[in-house]
Amino acid sequence: MTARERFGDHALLRYRWPGQVPEPGQFVMARTSTQSLDPFLPRPLFVHDYEDREMSLFFEIRGRGTLLLAEEGARLLVSGPLGRGFQTDDGELVALLGGGVWVAPLKLLGRSLDREGIVCDTFLEIPATAPEAYAAWISESYPDATLVPTKETSDPSRAVLNRLGDLERYASLFASGPVEMLSAVMRASAGRVSAQIALRERMACANGSCYGCAIPVWGSGERIYARACVEGPVFPAEVLAW
Amino acid sequence: MTARERFGDHALLRYRWPGQVPEPGQFVMARTSTQSLDPFLPRPLFVHDYEDREMSLFFEIRGRGTLLLAEEGARLLVSGPLGRGFQTDDGELVALLGGGVWVAPLKLLGRSLDREGIVCDTFLEIPATAPEAYAAWISESYPDATLVPTKETSDPSRAVLNRLGDLERYASLFASGPVEMLSAVMRASAGRVSAQIALRERMACANGSCYGCAIPVWGSGERIYARACVEGPVFPAEVLAW
Amino acid sequence: MVARPEKIAGDSTDLAVDLCGIPLATPLMPAAGTLAKEALDRAKGVYGAMLPKTVTPRPRAGNPPPRVAEAPSGMVNSIGLQNVGLECFLEDLNLWDVGLPLFVSIAADAVTEFAAMCERLAGYGRVAAVELNLSCPNVEHGGLQFCAEPETVAEVVAACKETLPEKPLFAKLTNEGVVANAVAAEEAGADGLTLINTIPALVVDARERKVFLRGGLSGPAIKPVTLRAVYEVSRVVEGPIIGVGGISSGEDVAEFMIAGATAVQVGAGSFVREPREMLDEFAAYLRENELRARELSGFI
Amino acid sequence: MVARPEKIAGDSTDLAVDLCGIPLATPLMPAAGTLAKEALDRAKGVYGAMLPKTVTPRPRAGNPPPRVAEAPSGMVNSIGLQNVGLECFLEDLNLWDVGLPLFVSIAADAVTEFAAMCERLAGYGRVAAVELNLSCPNVEHGGLQFCAEPETVAEVVAACKETLPEKPLFAKLTNEGVVANAVAAEEAGADGLTLINTIPALVVDARERKVFLRGGLSGPAIKPVTLRAVYEVSRVVEGPIIGVGGISSGEDVAEFMIAGATAVQVGAGSFVREPREMLDEFAAYLRENELRARELSGFI
Ligand SMILES: Cc1cc2nc3c(=O)[nH]c(=O)nc-3n(C[C@H](O)[C@H](O)[C@H](O)COP(=O)(O)OP(=O)(O)OC[C@H]3O[C@@H](n4cnc5c(N)ncnc54)[C@H](O)[C@@H]3O)c2cc1C
Ligand SMILES: Cc1cc2nc3c(=O)[nH]c(=O)nc-3n(C[C@H](O)[C@H](O)[C@H](O)COP(=O)(O)OP(=O)(O)OC[C@H]3O[C@@H](n4cnc5c(N)ncnc54)[C@H](O)[C@@H]3O)c2cc1C
Ligand SMILES: Cc1cc2nc3c(=O)[nH]c(=O)nc-3n(C[C@H](O)[C@H](O)[C@H](O)COP(=O)(O)O)c2cc1C
Ligand SMILES: Cc1cc2nc3c(=O)[nH]c(=O)nc-3n(C[C@H](O)[C@H](O)[C@H](O)COP(=O)(O)O)c2cc1C
Ligand code: FES
Ligand code: FES
């Protein structure tokens, strides 16, 4: 563990990661103890950033699991990286759309797009209610991003999209934010621009075994359930059957 | 927490204790977390020593609970002191008999007898199998004690008693050791000298509510169950119905 | 878990609930067998009713140790209903006088004994209600528990209602067959139900390679099972339900009331956390959600 | 929990057990529905048999999310038997070929369908044994579970035994009524029993004041309940018992075998710890106690 920062009810953990290099959009399973059987399950968290064998996680303190993870002096046990992340193959202008704590995976995504020489515009929603420390941290860690305060619009879910303007300018959209924002992006992108969407669903095994993390998708015309932990957490917008 | 020492599979914890002053033979309930529901129950541990608002516990690492308590950096949550300890009213020569990790409460007992000006002989059994570090620690923390290595005799449970010689020399015996030793002391003292015996039984509530820590005793001629956490853990030998 | 509020419970929040016409200042009470005289101070200002350990017609010595063992997020116990017997209990009844409605939990070997105990209790105005512990063996039926079949449940309840018509009667059931038993109890005249008693369990000592303890599981481990029982039963009965099993926080109290309980009992949880903290957390939950306790129960 | 040994499991310890004539290299196998193709590598060198998720006659989409929730020392799930259906399953049967005896878990809406599935499986030499998941709703009996009554348990088992006499048949039961159901299953021709399936449970979302999930509880929380079921049933049946419910360590494996199990299945525990570690711990336990796995089962 190299650093543990707190911004109000958000936390950032940095640690050495000699293991497999993560793709943007992949996640890890994190817990604080193996001695205790409670909390029982590790917590899924997106890889926020990775460079020089250092990995970081950015999360909101929601309940006991994240509370323990954010606790000063707590051990950190991480497995991963897991799942299917963002696919960044086509080399043109792309847009990153984020909101709330879900901006987490976009840091590493921006970094690897950079490396691939893909230009990207980043738009991050900042909820009107966001604490000072949090807003400050966002603008600092996403210096090139356009921040979109959601009081700006009557419909927060569309705030970022409105700001984005003409979608066709972009080769693809990469979105990670509140569910409302994600479904807005899904609808807006349909038939106009390819979009990839980072989803979350409660997880248990994180290896495809339990079928707990069901995401409704279109499979050969039918509405079926895919598993966020192996077929996701990032899905092409067009397959989602929301 | 002021100090945490390890001797092989034994541990000594020292911490500031602004709370109630403990009697010798009383115990505390100790745990490492309130966030986690597992391990569920706090662990009962005798007060090993207390002076200048500093309390200490001496215990053997048996399972998860004691393992967590001995862990470097672990939090320590203590409630107590609890129960009925040794009654040290009569001011003459007394004997302290201990064995194994159960010597724990005898440190504070020796200290308070000293304070009351009661002279005491201390005999502590050291199992042949005891690790070096442990034996060293015992002789250091009980400097005036006579150490009785149990290989010395064929019947370890009587080793300390044999060494003690004539029981009538003593106003009372105070014993805390392996169950075999305690029952030997019980039998030997019967009708000859008053003896007080520190017992252990699995506990849950530690406040008399659950009736879990049952100790068979004689109550008006009948064999009934007393509760180690409130009527004990120290019992007069003559009431025990073993 | 909800954070501990600055304010102490009650002063700003309406925690009161009504249980068969008995007003409770808070929906919390001790689970039978988990609060002894020695710990009564924990009840004051926290619990809405008092409930001593189950009493039997004659004194019982209880089971030999070990009587308790730890389990993942819970514990297993086999106390064996150690108690002084009904007569001694009634002599010392005032010991339980802490200004709270007094619920008395009873158990017996036979239907007639249950009825006789109720008849004896009828004379005591200080007794607000009676809880029938139906998880004890029915000697007349080869030691099968009274709650093993709806028929025996109905038999006991009807007999007790007849000898004690004037006091609310709560039938305490186990999880096995709980829905059928609950319906039977209500039809036989039970005014309310207490759900649930411990779940049959076993603890094995791997070191000694033997059974360490055969008893009942309780504590947070069983909370999801108890919530299910409360929820399913609340859908088929009219009377109030006292939820018990795994409560260790104020949020747990809220969950039980949302699932259909009117009041709750705290057992093993009170061995590891202060009931006062649970009540404070529950009060904080009500304030955050701008609700009164009685509005919460049966929310779904 | 037992410390992790230096030696890796197996090399010095005799872990082999026999299950109805099927030799298992270790007594561990996956619990139905908790090991998917994607995680097969965890099985190699650890499990003594393979057991895929329950298959049904036709494909099933499963339940809408949420499907899982955490519970104290456990989890609640309601997957809804999502699976590709028997025919697709049989087409891809070789996917499960990892050099281990293959157990197939089946479920159906009706007795006749159970029997038809067994008939279909009879043709597959690669299938070593069949596990009947009797915790699914019996459509012909108003959705009541097949294991709700001993009569239906016997009916299904007898029908399956008739269409699949040559392969060992395991009846998987829930905790409710387990002893009576186990006896019925054995008398109807079951070669062995798998005890137990998840325990009906409910998770409430206090923030939203709604039912979050209605499903089955599993994980360490239910271990004492499962051990009790294995213990009680082992006293009244002849055939071998596969113990499942709450296993998360090698010591747990030992406890189940001591209580009467011949083999064990690991479900939720495999989501939080490596089965390999559990096997190493179990091997260490056997070495410390100078025992072979087969000597341990039914020690008491
Ligand atoms: C693939 C994936 C990646 C994630 N990445 C991040 C991240 O980078 N940063 C971050 O802050 N959070 C992330 N989450 C959500 C995070 O896992 C949950 O917030 C966390 O598990 C809550 O645990 P807890 O013990 O604190 O809260 P709990 O006590 O478990 O629950 C508290 C509240 O958290 C919510 N919650 C619980 N589990 C989940 C879940 N799996 N998904 C969504 N909400 C949940 C529930 O609404 C619940 O009311 C991710 C989830 C997934 C599935
Ligand atoms: C009043 C009292 C005072 C005690 N004082 C001390 C002390 O000063 N030093 C010390 O080393 N131990 C003491 N003990 C015993 C100590 O409480 C147990 O060793 C401890 O609870 C084991 O917890 P664990 O989680 O490490 O082991 P667990 O995993 O709970 O069990 C491991 C083994 O410990 C044994 N054990 C568990 N609980 C108890 C118990 N309550 N009593 C006896 N054995 C138990 C069992 O044999 C079990 O096999 C005392 C017990 C009591 C009741
Ligand atoms: C130590 C102990 C003793 C108990 N004694 C009784 C009893 O005398 N009568 C009874 O009806 N239930 C008894 N119970 C069961 C509890 O009242 C309660 O139904 C059960 O423990 C579930 O609640 P919990 O999870 O909060 O402990 C006892 C439980 C425990 C842990
Ligand atoms: C996610 C999940 C899916 C399950 N699916 C099945 C299933 O398809 N068929 C079945 O018989 N049991 C199923 N079970 C029950 C397990 O096989 C097992 O009986 C139960 O979980 C208890 O074991 P555990 O505590 O080790 O998880 C499932 C359990 C879980 C947790
Ligand atoms: S979390 Fe188990 S399949 Fe995704
Ligand atoms: S531990 Fe509960 S009565 Fe002693």
Side-chain angles (χ1 to χ4, degrees):
Chain A
M1 187 65 126
T2 54
R4 177 183 264 118
E5 297 169 57
R6 282 284 288 266
F7 320 93
D9 59 356
H10 288 66
L12 178 75
L13 308 186
R14 279 209 194 77
Y15 50 92
R16 309 240 105 260
W17 183 256
Q20 191 186 323
V21 176
E23 289 173 21
Q26 283 191 301
F27 67 99
V28 299
M29 293 296 272
R31 70 186 305 134
T32 54
S33 160
T34 48
Q35 285 298 326
S36 173
L37 295 165
D38 179 76
F40 184 60
L41 299 168
R43 300 304 193 241
L45 297 169
F46 284 118
V47 174
H48 169 58
D49 200 1
Y50 173 85
E51 196 175 38
D52 307 335
R53 294 248 166 87
E54 185 177 79
M55 190 182 272
S56 61
L57 309 173
F58 176 62
F59 58 91
E60 182 187 351
I61 296 166
R62 276 231 174 111
R64 283 191 312 145
T66 47
L67 189 67
L68 287 165
L69 284 166
E71 216 166 51
E72 215 30 77
R75 274 232 231 81
L76 177 67
L77 301 153
V78 168
S79 65
L82 302 163
R84 195 172 158 293
F86 293 103
Q87 306 304 310
T88 60
D89 25 32
D90 37 16
E92 296 136 59
L93 178 70
V94 301
L96 274 50
L97 316 179
V101 72
W102 309 113
V103 302
L106 300 182
K107 177 76 177 176
L108 179 58
L109 177 58
R111 191 185 287 284
S112 64
L113 287 168
D114 232 40
R115 202 175 284 116
E116 298 168 34
I118 301 176
V119 185
C120 69
D121 298 344
T122 305
F123 301 85
L124 304 181
E125 174 204 8
I126 297 280
T129 56
E132 199 38 64
Y134 169 75
W137 178 83
I138 289 281
S139 36
E140 175 192 319
S141 36
Y142 296 87
D144 310 333
T146 310
L147 302 189
V148 185
T150 44
K151 50 174 139 9
E152 187 183 83
T153 158
S154 55
D155 175 1
S157 70
R158 292 197 46 87
V160 164
L161 272 172
N162 296 344
R163 196 55 178 279
L164 192 56
D166 174 18
L167 300 185
E168 272 86 352
R169 286 162 47 221
Y170 297 100
S172 31
L173 311 180
F174 301 96
S176 182
V179 173
E180 306 69 29
M181 172 198 276
L182 297 182
S183 56
V185 171
M186 195 184 92
R187 280 165 196 41
S189 63
R192 300 171 58 194
V193 50
S194 99
Q196 293 179 41
I197 300 199
L199 293 178
R200 295 88 50 179
E201 185 48 73
R202 269 192 186 55
M203 293 183 172
C205 72
N207 65 27
S209 290
C210 76
Y211 284 79
C213 57
I215 303 283
V217 297
W218 296 113
S220 55
E222 264 185 295
R223 196 163 175 288
I224 60 171
Y225 289 112
R227 293 160 298 173
C229 67
V230 284
E231 282 110 8
V234 178
F235 291 88
E238 64 271 21
V239 308
L240 292 175
W242 274 7
Chain B
M1 185 66 120
T2 56
R4 176 182 267 117
E5 297 170 57
R6 282 283 287 267
F7 321 93
D9 60 354
H10 288 66
L12 178 75
L13 307 186
R14 279 208 193 79
Y15 49 91
R16 309 240 105 260
W17 183 256
Q20 191 185 325
V21 176
E23 290 173 19
Q26 283 191 300
F27 67 99
V28 299
M29 293 297 272
R31 69 186 306 132
T32 54
S33 161
T34 49
Q35 285 298 325
S36 174
L37 295 166
D38 177 76
F40 184 60
L41 299 168
R43 300 304 193 240
L45 297 169
F46 284 118
V47 174
H48 169 60
D49 200 2
Y50 173 85
E51 195 175 37
D52 306 335
R53 294 248 165 90
E54 185 176 79
M55 190 182 273
S56 62
L57 309 174
F58 177 62
F59 58 91
E60 181 187 352
I61 296 165
R62 274 233 179 108
R64 283 190 314 145
T66 46
L67 189 68
L68 287 165
L69 284 166
E71 216 166 51
E72 215 29 77
R75 275 229 232 83
L76 178 68
L77 302 153
V78 168
S79 65
L82 303 163
R84 195 172 159 290
F86 293 102
Q87 308 303 311
T88 61
D89 26 30
D90 36 18
E92 295 137 58
L93 179 69
V94 301
L96 274 50
L97 317 180
V101 72
W102 309 113
V103 302
L106 300 183
K107 178 76 177 176
L108 179 58
L109 177 58
R111 192 185 287 284
S112 64
L113 287 169
D114 230 41
R115 202 175 284 116
E116 298 167 35
I118 301 176
V119 185
C120 68
D121 298 344
T122 306
F123 301 85
L124 305 181
E125 174 205 9
I126 298 282
T129 57
E132 200 35 64
Y134 169 73
W137 178 81
I138 289 283
S139 37
E140 175 191 320
S141 36
Y142 297 86
D144 309 333
T146 311
L147 302 190
V148 186
T150 44
K151 50 174 136 15
E152 187 184 83
T153 158
S154 57
D155 175 2
S157 70
R158 294 198 46 85
V160 165
L161 272 172
N162 296 344
R163 195 55 180 278
L164 193 58
D166 173 19
L167 300 186
E168 271 87 354
R169 288 164 42 226
Y170 297 100
S172 28
L173 311 181
F174 300 96
S176 181
V179 173
E180 305 70 26
M181 172 197 277
L182 297 181
S183 56
V185 171
M186 195 183 93
R187 282 165 196 39
S189 62
R192 299 171 60 196
V193 49
S194 101
Q196 294 179 39
I197 300 198
L199 292 178
R200 297 88 49 180
E201 185 48 72
R202 269 194 186 51
M203 292 184 172
C205 71
N207 65 27
S209 290
C210 76
Y211 284 78
C213 57
I215 303 283
V217 297
W218 296 114
S220 56
E222 262 184 297
R223 196 165 174 286
I224 60 171
Y225 289 111
R227 293 160 297 173
C229 67
V230 284
E231 282 109 9
V234 177
F235 290 88
E238 63 270 21
V239 308
L240 292 175
W242 275 6
Chain C
M1 300 177 176
V2 187
R4 192 160 193 231
E6 286 60 57
K7 288 217 199 134
I8 90 128
D11 52 11
S12 73
T13 323
D14 186 348
L15 292 162
V17 297
D18 175 287
L19 206 51
C20 302
I22 305 167
L24 307 188
T26 87
L28 277 66
M29 61 176 94
T34 66
L35 182 72
K37 297 190 295 287
E38 290 81 359
L40 273 185
D41 50 324
R42 311 176 82 203
K44 301 199 184 75
V46 175
Y47 288 131
M50 179 48 59
L51 179 61
K53 184 167 182 59
T54 296
V55 188
T56 53
R58 287 159 300 284
R60 286 175 57 101
N63 297 335
R67 291 178 169 188
V68 292
E70 191 175 62
S73 290
M75 61 177 283
V76 174
N77 87 84
S78 177
I79 309 301
L81 293 182
Q82 176 172 351
N83 80 100
V84 295
L86 184 61
E87 290 313 318
C88 289
F89 172 77
L90 290 172
E91 277 165 29
D92 295 349
L93 202 56
N94 55 352
L95 285 173
W96 296 99
D97 229 332
V98 289
L100 298 175
L102 179 62
F103 284 56
V104 175
S105 166
I106 63 170
D109 295 342
V111 176
T112 50
E113 287 194 327
F114 265 106
M117 289 180 87
C118 285
E119 195 163 16
R120 187 81 175 82
L121 288 167
Y124 289 79
R126 221 184 294 151
V127 176
V130 172
E131 184 177 88
L132 306 174
N133 174 1
L134 300 177
S135 313
C136 52
N138 178 349
V139 172
E140 291 164 332
H141 280 52
L144 220 63
Q145 285 188 346
F146 284 96
C147 55
E149 303 142 355
E151 296 68 27
T152 15
V153 168
E155 210 186 327
V156 179
V157 172
C160 292
K161 196 64 199 172
E162 200 182 322
T163 53
L164 186 59
E166 64 281 358
K167 292 188 200 290
L169 215 55
F170 287 81
K172 184 173 181 179
L173 304 172
T174 41
N175 189 55
E176 181 127 351
V178 68
V179 172
N181 286 331
V183 171
E186 184 162 81
E187 285 171 352
D191 302 279
L193 299 160
T194 305
L195 312 176
I196 60 174
N197 213 314
T198 57
I199 300 175
L202 187 80
V203 176
V204 172
D205 184 333
R207 304 177 197 208
E208 305 294 326
R209 290 200 288 289
K210 60 176 178 56
V211 168
F212 180 77
L213 188 62
R214 210 158 149 280
L217 178 64
S218 72
I222 70 169
K223 189 183 80 169
V225 177
T226 316
L227 279 170
R228 175 73 173 258
V230 169
Y231 177 75
E232 302 294 350
V233 169
S234 69
R235 255 125 199 75
V236 295
V237 301
E238 289 295 315
I241 295 170
I242 303 174
V244 53
I247 292 173
S248 70
S249 76
E251 198 167 345
D252 292 339
V253 175
E255 290 173 10
F256 272 82
M257 294 183 75
I258 290 165
T262 299
V264 300
Q265 295 176 348
V266 185
S270 69
F271 303 161
V272 300
R273 293 194 71 215
E274 280 298 324
R276 146 75 55 202
E277 285 177 34
M278 304 180 204
L279 183 64
D280 290 347
E281 292 164 353
F282 178 62
Y285 171 90
L286 291 176
R287 279 194 295 271
E288 281 161 21
N289 294 275
E290 291 170 340
L291 282 167
R292 290 175 303 175
R294 76 179 67 87
E295 295 165 340
L296 194 59
S297 72
F299 207 92
I300 48 177
Chain D
M1 297 179 179
V2 187
R4 193 161 192 226
E6 285 60 54
K7 288 222 202 133
I8 91 128
D11 52 13
S12 74
T13 323
D14 186 350
L15 292 161
V17 297
D18 174 288
L19 207 52
C20 303
I22 306 167
L24 307 187
T26 87
L28 277 67
M29 61 176 96
T34 65
L35 182 72
K37 296 190 295 288
E38 289 80 0
L40 273 185
D41 50 321
R42 311 176 83 202
K44 302 200 183 74
V46 176
Y47 288 131
M50 179 49 59
L51 179 60
K53 184 167 180 61
T54 296
V55 188
T56 54
R58 287 161 300 284
R60 285 175 57 101
N63 297 334
R67 292 178 168 186
V68 292
E70 191 176 60
S73 291
M75 62 178 282
V76 175
N77 87 83
S78 176
I79 309 300
L81 294 181
Q82 176 172 351
N83 79 102
V84 295
L86 183 61
E87 291 314 317
C88 290
F89 172 77
L90 290 172
E91 277 165 31
D92 295 349
L93 201 57
N94 54 352
L95 284 173
W96 297 99
D97 229 331
V98 289
L100 298 175
L102 179 63
F103 285 55
V104 175
S105 166
I106 63 170
D109 295 341
V111 175
T112 51
E113 287 194 326
F114 265 106
M117 289 181 88
C118 286
E119 195 163 17
R120 187 82 177 80
L121 289 168
Y124 289 80
R126 223 184 293 151
V127 176
V130 172
E131 185 177 88
L132 306 174
N133 175 1
L134 300 177
S135 314
C136 52
N138 178 349
V139 172
E140 291 164 334
H141 280 53
L144 221 64
Q145 285 187 347
F146 284 96
C147 54
E149 303 143 355
E151 296 68 27
T152 13
V153 168
E155 212 185 326
V156 179
V157 171
C160 292
K161 196 66 198 170
E162 199 181 324
T163 53
L164 186 59
E166 64 280 0
K167 292 186 199 288
L169 215 56
F170 288 80
K172 185 173 181 179
L173 305 172
T174 41
N175 189 56
E176 181 128 351
V178 69
V179 172
N181 287 330
V183 171
E186 183 162 82
E187 285 171 353
D191 302 279
L193 300 160
T194 304
L195 313 176
I196 59 172
N197 213 314
T198 56
I199 300 175
L202 186 80
V203 176
V204 173
D205 184 334
R207 303 176 196 208
E208 304 294 325
R209 290 200 288 288
K210 60 177 177 58
V211 168
F212 181 77
L213 188 62
R214 208 158 151 279
L217 178 63
S218 71
I222 70 169
K223 190 183 80 170
V225 177
T226 317
L227 279 170
R228 175 74 172 258
V230 168
Y231 177 75
E232 302 294 350
V233 169
S234 69
R235 256 124 197 78
V236 294
V237 301
E238 290 295 315
I241 295 171
I242 303 173
V244 53
I247 291 173
S248 70
S249 75
E251 198 168 345
D252 292 340
V253 175
E255 290 173 9
F256 273 82
M257 295 182 75
I258 290 165
T262 299
V264 301
Q265 296 176 348
V266 185
S270 70
F271 303 161
V272 301
R273 292 194 72 217
E274 282 298 323
R276 144 76 54 202
E277 287 177 32
M278 303 180 204
L279 183 65
D280 290 347
E281 292 165 353
F282 178 61
Y285 171 90
L286 291 176
R287 280 195 294 272
E288 280 162 21
N289 295 275
E290 292 170 340
L291 281 166
R292 291 175 302 174
R294 75 180 66 89
E295 295 165 340
L296 194 60
S297 71
F299 206 93
I300 49 177

